[in-house]
Amino acid sequence: MIKTIVTLSGKDGVGIIAKVCTFFAENNINILDISQTTDDINIHMMMIVDTEKYTGSFEDLVAGLNEVGKQVNCHIKAQHEEIFNMMHRI
């Protein structure tokens, strides 16, 4: 299993989660965990995904998520699990 942490933030709107999940499904990426918070205006979401069966490079994944982010007017960032864990270790 190759875990990747994906974070999303931006203005909330209809179809954001659907677009992101469709991207994952079309690229054989399995969502292992997902959490989100929203308020009247914003959405913040964090997902742990398994990219083991994804056939592209990590750079391709980042580019694809950037494109989805543009479509839904949100910022989407992907990080390898190891890097994410090191950044959040205190």
Side-chain angles (χ1 to χ4, degrees):
M1 185 177 309
I2 302 171
K3 292 183 181 177
T4 301
I5 309 301
V6 177
T7 56
L8 176 148
S9 60
K11 184 177 176 187
D12 194 15
V14 175
I16 293 172
I17 296 170
K19 281 271 193 194
V20 174
C21 291
T22 298
F23 173 82
F24 289 150
E26 289 174 347
N27 287 283
N28 214 16
I29 296 171
N30 188 36
I31 299 170
L32 303 172
D33 190 19
I34 184 170
S35 64
Q36 75 172 44
T37 57
T38 58
D39 56 29
D40 292 336
I41 300 170
N42 299 302
I43 182 171
H44 303 282
M45 187 165 47
M46 185 175 98
M47 295 156 279
I48 302 172
V49 298
D50 179 6
T51 56
E52 185 171 5
K53 295 181 180 177
Y54 177 65
T55 58
S57 67
F58 188 77
E59 290 76 18
D60 294 335
L61 175 63
V62 169
L65 288 170
N66 284 336
E67 182 58 36
V68 172
K70 289 177 188 174
Q71 293 172 12
V72 297
N73 199 28
C74 290
H75 177 74
I76 304 176
K77 183 176 182 180
Q79 295 177 296
H80 293 287
E81 180 187 35
E82 300 84 21
I83 293 171
F84 181 85
N85 289 339
M86 292 300 258
M87 288 176 51
H88 292 90
R89 185 182 296 174
I90 295 181

